[in-house]
Amino acid sequence: MPLRVKVRNAESGATVDMELEGENTVEEIIEGAAGYWEKDAGAYVLRRGKKLLRGQQTVADCGLVNQDELELIPDPEGG
Amino acid sequence: MKPPSVLAGEEIRIDKRLPPPSERRTAHKWLKEDALQRYRDENGKGFELYISKIAEEKIRNHATSCVDHKREVMGLMLGGVYTHDEMTYSLVRDVVTTDLEASSVHVKFQREAFEKLFASLDEVGFKYVIVGWYHSHPGHKCFMSSTDIDTQKNLFNQPYHNALVVDPVNREIEVYFMKDGVIRTRDFAIYWDDFENPYHGTTIRKRVVRSDPDRMASPH
């Protein structure tokens, strides 16, 4: 049964509603959201509350539930 | 298996809001003479970026704390995006950081320190937008390196996004942004306002000691 989550773009405050399957990975969620906002998926991390969601974890592994709110956080690099 | 799908999106909402008034703003003390002149010229018209005194102090203290080790520091600038008189501006109310992987020429958040960063984000006490990032160039002056430009292009490519670079050794500061794929400098002001203080209302107040009339009257 698919579940619906909200992903917030911390850099703009914009949000998207996404539909996920239990086997979808965090990496895929980041790619979906970053793609929507035309961002480079590799430069972001995803959080659920204070927890960092790891790229290869699945929706089921992370224990995501319907109506969860996730946030896309930039991972900058300076030189 | 179906990949994740986006069902609907809600775009950024830019509210109308008065910028900090001119009597509550000042130039940063580390501005170079040309930037200071630009500040004076722009002060009447208003700026596209205002940084709170609290955020500015945190950035400067963070950069200064790593001068001895000549290590770069970095963090995220939190605030909001507003509009006034057809001018869009960013307000930086606070900054957050976490443990860093850093050298004198490179800086990044430690992977295992993201949860500390998230805890700081939850503690700011206002609904934030990450309006940019800051990092230091200890002893190297202010400029955007190729790594910095990549970060700006990939992450902070909206006109309201800012890259603040500070050199705590030479005491210099500069803000950059990207427009039409080109990096430009941005003039900014430091502001102070009790109502913009993210910790407003949580300040420890000095206790008022009332004089006790009985005690005052009793002779020693």
Side-chain angles (χ1 to χ4, degrees):
Chain A
M1 172 113 179
L3 55 96
R4 194 182 270 212
V5 298
K6 194 177 275 298
V7 180
R8 178 177 188 266
N9 179 353
E11 289 172 347
S12 68
T15 57
V16 286
D17 291 323
M18 294 184 83
E19 194 172 72
L20 311 175
E21 304 274 355
E23 302 80 36
N24 289 146
T25 63
V26 169
E27 210 168 77
E28 288 174 325
I29 304 173
I30 296 175
E31 276 167 15
Y36 179 82
W37 287 307
E38 297 174 352
K39 298 277 190 178
D40 172 12
Y44 292 86
V45 295
L46 195 63
R47 75 160 172 148
R48 180 196 188 207
K50 289 180 179 54
K51 281 264 166 240
L52 173 71
L53 304 182
R54 309 268 167 186
Q56 291 310 312
Q57 280 183 306
T58 64
V59 165
D61 293 339
C62 301
L64 295 188
V65 294
N66 215 17
Q67 308 300 327
D68 254 346
E69 293 199 7
L70 313 177
E71 192 171 40
L72 200 62
I73 303 285
D75 182 12
E77 194 173 343
Chain B
M1 181 189 63
K2 230 174 84 181
S5 55
V6 172
L7 303 173
E10 195 177 302
E11 287 313 306
I12 177 175
R13 212 185 68 203
I14 300 180
D15 294 326
K16 283 187 180 174
R17 181 181 181 147
L18 281 173
S22 55
E23 65 273 18
R24 283 182 181 268
R25 61 192 195 215
T26 187
H28 194 282
K29 59 182 177 182
W30 286 1
L31 285 186
K32 287 184 289 182
E33 195 46 51
D34 55 335
L36 195 58
Q37 188 53 51
R38 289 201 311 268
Y39 173 90
R40 291 185 196 115
D41 296 343
E42 295 296 312
N43 196 22
K45 290 181 246 168
F47 296 87
E48 288 175 337
L49 173 65
Y50 297 92
I51 302 174
S52 76
K53 188 76 191 111
I54 286 179
E56 182 277 327
E57 275 173 2
K58 284 187 184 177
I59 294 169
R60 199 157 32 88
N61 290 343
H62 192 198
T64 309
S65 69
C66 290
V67 161
D68 290 345
H69 309 287
K70 283 248 173 159
R71 269 198 217 123
E72 292 195 4
V73 300
M74 186 182 76
L76 301 174
M77 303 200 289
L78 313 178
V81 184
Y82 305 98
T83 179
H84 176 68
D85 275 352
E86 295 178 10
M87 183 192 239
T88 300
Y89 68 92
S90 307
L91 201 67
V92 176
R93 297 173 64 185
D94 205 352
V95 293
V96 288
T97 187
T98 188
D99 300 334
L100 302 167
E101 197 181 291
S103 71
S104 64
V105 291
H106 179 254
V107 65
K108 206 173 161 26
F109 293 138
Q110 276 181 21
R111 192 78 188 168
E112 57 277 18
F114 267 107
E115 291 180 1
K116 196 169 156 186
L117 182 81
F118 302 158
S120 302
L121 286 170
D122 288 342
E123 281 166 14
V124 294
F126 59 91
K127 201 170 180 182
Y128 60 83
V129 169
I130 299 174
V131 291
W133 62 302
Y134 72 87
H135 78 290
S136 66
H137 283 176
H140 302 300
K141 306 260 182 183
C142 298
F143 63 96
M144 290 288 276
S145 68
S146 55
T147 308
D148 304 338
I149 293 170
D150 284 346
T151 289
Q152 202 68 18
K153 263 187 198 160
N154 294 329
L155 288 95
F156 300 106
N157 51 15
Q158 295 303 309
Y160 56 80
H161 284 145
N162 305 281
L164 184 151
V165 183
V166 59
D167 176 354
V169 176
N170 294 301
R171 293 175 167 240
E172 287 183 9
I173 192 163
E174 196 82 69
V175 173
Y176 303 89
F177 72 108
M178 182 162 272
K179 193 179 176 191
D180 304 325
V182 178
I183 294 285
R184 300 155 199 257
T185 56
R186 169 164 277 159
D187 299 320
F188 66 99
I190 303 301
Y191 76 92
W192 62 97
D193 185 330
D194 282 348
F195 298 104
E196 293 300 339
N197 178 343
Y199 308 111
H200 178 71
T202 58
T203 312
I204 297 168
R205 290 188 186 154
K206 224 176 169 181
R207 182 183 283 181
V208 179
V209 181
R210 290 188 190 150
S211 55
D212 183 338
D214 292 333
R215 206 179 262 184
M216 293 283 280
S218 63
H220 290 283

